[in-house]
Amino acid sequence: AKGSGGAIYQQQGDIYIETDATLNFNEANNNGGAIYLGDGTFTVNGNATLKSNKAISLNGGGIYLGGGSFTVSQNGKLNLGGASQAEGNIAGGNGGGVFCGAPFTAKGTSIIQNNSAANGGGVYVNTGYSASFTKKTTLLNNSATANGGAIYVKGGNITLVENSMNSNTALNGGAIYLDGGDFTAVGSST
């Protein structure tokens, strides 16, 4: 896409993924290599896989949340990135896997691996917003050229329950870079 949302651009309304969805090899010049959510709700009840997507100049290589809300249900599964660096999502700015400028809730299993960005290789949480991963989240091999290989929190809030963070790299904060805001981890390993 010449603008935002390489595969899906949602400005309002509701989107539900009930079975399996694969969004691979999409590009946006601006925000949201695969998904751009400006408003409305986006709910994953099945399995969603986003690999090799790119936000060339801005944020959210896999998913960009600028408004609305994004939810992975209890039975849903979200895969951001893949088993190799070539399968990862890339942002020229922040949030290689997901940029949270709106509420993001993952009640189901999430695997965020091999994504890259300037800040927040896996997840970037912007000022005043929250991200919650409440079931078996794995953040593996994500990288940031500056801060927060797995997670960058800029004045927002992030909660991780039963999570694992391994082999994430950055200039500062290989796993987590906290720039204000709150970080809560329960049953975690780094």
Side-chain angles (χ1 to χ4, degrees), residues 54-122:
K54 185 184 288 188
I56 295 169
S57 60
L58 293 176
N59 306 313
I63 301 168
Y64 176 88
L65 305 178
S69 65
F70 190 101
T71 302
V72 179
S73 72
Q74 185 72 25
N75 296 321
K77 183 174 181 180
L78 177 64
N79 292 301
L80 284 171
S84 70
Q85 291 292 334
E87 293 181 329
N89 300 293
I90 300 169
N94 302 317
V98 59
F99 178 94
C100 300
F104 180 98
T105 304
K107 298 175 185 173
T109 302
S110 299
I111 300 171
I112 303 170
Q113 63 180 346
N114 288 310
N115 301 290
S116 61
N119 295 295

Side-chain angles (χ1 to χ4, degrees), residues 18-31:
E18 296 297 335
T19 55
D20 295 337
T22 301
L23 302 173
N24 297 343
F25 303 103
N26 299 288
E27 283 189 357
N29 282 336
N30 296 326
N31 294 309

Side-chain angles (χ1 to χ4, degrees), residues 13-50:
D14 304 317
I15 293 178
Y16 297 93
I17 295 176
E18 296 297 335
T19 55
D20 295 337
T22 301
L23 302 173
N24 297 343
F25 303 103
N26 299 288
E27 283 189 357
N29 282 336
N30 296 326
N31 294 309
I35 298 170
Y36 175 95
L37 178 61
D39 201 0
T41 60
F42 196 111
T43 305
V44 177
N45 293 319
N47 295 321
T49 301
L50 290 80

